Amino acid sequence: MTSSDQLLDLIQNTPDIHGLLRSSFGFDIGRKRCGDGLRLASGAPLEPIAGEFAGGAYLLCAEEDGRQPVVFASSEGAGGLIADDLADALEIIIGLALQDCLGFSGGGDVEVMQISAQHLERSLARDNPVIAKERAHVAAALSLRVVPVADLVIRLQEAASRTAPDYVVTTEDGQAYDPPFGEHSEPRHGGWR
């Protein structure tokens, strides 16, 4: 059994963690069908492991050097590598609004991503005042670390920058997903609030 399988089993068998990952962090192992039919551009298969509320999918790649990289494919057609293994991916997922951080990245500029992440953190704390406790609870239950946002941004940017050529997500008919980095540096209507 791989470390990814062990983590997924632990999530499945710990209802409160499964629930928090779904409700607060958009990682729902009950929505594995979201990624059906997706594969890497090389033709290598991807294993759907979770979906998120907007229709995106988290997928495991084949094992490489004892690790299974994780890619994210959004419902808007962007996707790519987010981490070298599931533990790293989950630390990013619970510690960072990764989709918005990628979306408002100025094309992958780490400084823009840092600014976006700070705005997103303030917004998240307003919307969910107990997010820090939830992060700590999930991390402890899954033997993960609570990593500072600035460090998570660097990890995410470094992973996503390695998407091409090995981690480009495609549909069954060979249509490639867009790169994971959005071109905007902040929301177009009203900027950061």
Side-chain angles (χ1 to χ4, degrees):
M1 180 178 279
T2 68
S3 61
S4 296
D5 291 334
Q6 291 169 339
L7 269 172
L8 291 169
D9 284 348
L10 184 57
I11 293 166
Q12 181 69 43
N13 295 318
T14 314
D16 66 319
I17 299 303
H18 181 189
L20 278 174
L21 282 169
R22 180 184 63 248
S23 64
S24 293
F25 304 108
F27 185 87
D28 185 356
I29 62 171
R31 298 187 73 176
K32 292 179 186 176
R33 295 192 55 139
C34 289
D36 282 350
L38 298 179
R39 58 185 37 101
L40 294 177
S42 66
L46 291 168
E47 177 189 348
I49 56 169
E52 54 88 35
F53 56 87
Y58 294 96
L59 307 118
L60 280 178
C61 301
E63 190 171 322
E64 300 173 5
D65 301 322
R67 300 178 96 178
Q68 285 186 277
V70 178
V71 297
F72 177 76
S74 77
S75 60
E76 289 83 32
L81 183 69
I82 61 168
D84 291 326
D85 65 27
L86 184 55
D88 287 348
L90 285 167
E91 287 179 354
I92 291 169
I93 291 163
I94 66 171
L96 184 67
L98 82 93
Q99 293 175 64
D100 288 332
C101 190
L102 287 169
F104 300 113
S105 68
D109 183 313
V110 73
E111 290 179 23
V112 171
M113 291 175 74
Q114 293 285 6
I115 293 166
S116 295
Q118 294 306 318
H119 286 288
L120 292 162
E121 278 299 297
R122 283 193 292 278
S123 176
L124 184 57
R126 276 192 310 268
D127 293 343
N128 182 358
V130 296
I131 192 69
K133 288 180 183 176
E134 291 175 345
R135 284 177 173 152
H137 181 62
V138 170
L142 300 178
S143 298
L144 302 172
R145 298 169 294 149
V146 175
V147 179
V149 169
D151 295 342
L152 292 173
V153 169
I154 292 167
R155 286 171 44 185
L156 178 61
Q157 193 272 345
E158 287 174 351
S161 293
R162 297 191 332 260
T163 292
D166 296 329
Y167 300 102
V168 174
V169 178
T170 63
T171 62
E172 285 181 292
D173 60 4
Q175 295 284 14
Y177 272 53
D178 291 333
F181 296 118
E183 293 300 317
H184 301 288
S185 58
E186 62 182 43
R188 286 183 269 181
H189 304 291
W192 294 115
R193 295 179 183 179

